Amino acid sequence: IEAQKQKIAADAPKVEFHDQVVAADGSMSVAEAAKALHGFGLGRDRLFNKLRSLKWVDKRNEPYQRIIDPGLLEVTVHPYEHPVRVSEVSWTTRVTGKGLAKLRKILAEARAA
């Protein structure tokens, strides 16, 4: 019992950090998420490959609605003026804190297997 209490006390900062990340508003780019997942040897392109293999994004790196609805990924839309075609819209796939925590869990489980 004493060993368990010590483990809980030692893990408390990690648990608090996890809870803050999951509850945080906002999101980060896939490149930033790859840096946050630095222990798994992923860069932006490898993380996009992983997201495609997990069926989180399609071949154009757009997230599926079933991943957007629970708040794992989100899309930001950016209108801009194109010099030839007047106005265009670009979009960016972004990873939420909740999505980052879920990815970390999936990657850790895959590494342990």
Side-chain angles (χ1 to χ4, degrees):
I1 292 176
E2 189 60 38
Q4 287 178 340
K5 287 181 183 179
Q6 290 175 355
K7 173 108 172 88
I8 290 170
D11 289 346
K14 290 187 268 184
V15 171
E16 182 180 347
F17 175 75
H18 173 271
D19 292 345
Q20 288 173 351
V21 168
V22 171
D25 289 336
S27 59
M28 64 185 77
S29 70
V30 174
E32 292 167 333
K35 290 175 187 172
L37 297 167
H38 61 84
F40 296 99
L42 296 171
R44 183 186 69 97
D45 292 344
R46 283 193 215 125
L47 183 53
F48 267 125
N49 286 338
K50 185 66 175 174
L51 293 173
R52 282 191 292 277
S53 72
L54 292 170
K55 305 286 190 227
W56 281 31
V57 297
D58 63 16
K59 64 183 177 182
R60 296 184 333 183
N61 295 331
E62 294 180 32
Y64 291 107
Q65 193 65 43
R66 64 179 179 75
I67 301 301
I68 294 172
D69 288 344
L72 301 176
L73 297 178
E74 66 182 24
V75 176
T76 57
V77 179
H78 311 282
Y80 66 95
E81 295 300 318
H82 190 277
V84 176
R85 295 184 294 247
V86 186
S87 65
E88 292 279 321
V89 175
S90 70
W91 49 265
T92 305
T93 298
R94 298 185 60 83
V95 181
T96 64
K98 187 176 179 181
L100 186 66
K102 179 84 171 180
L103 278 172
R104 182 177 296 280
K105 181 180 178 186
I106 290 169
L107 294 169
E109 289 172 355
R111 179 187 282 174

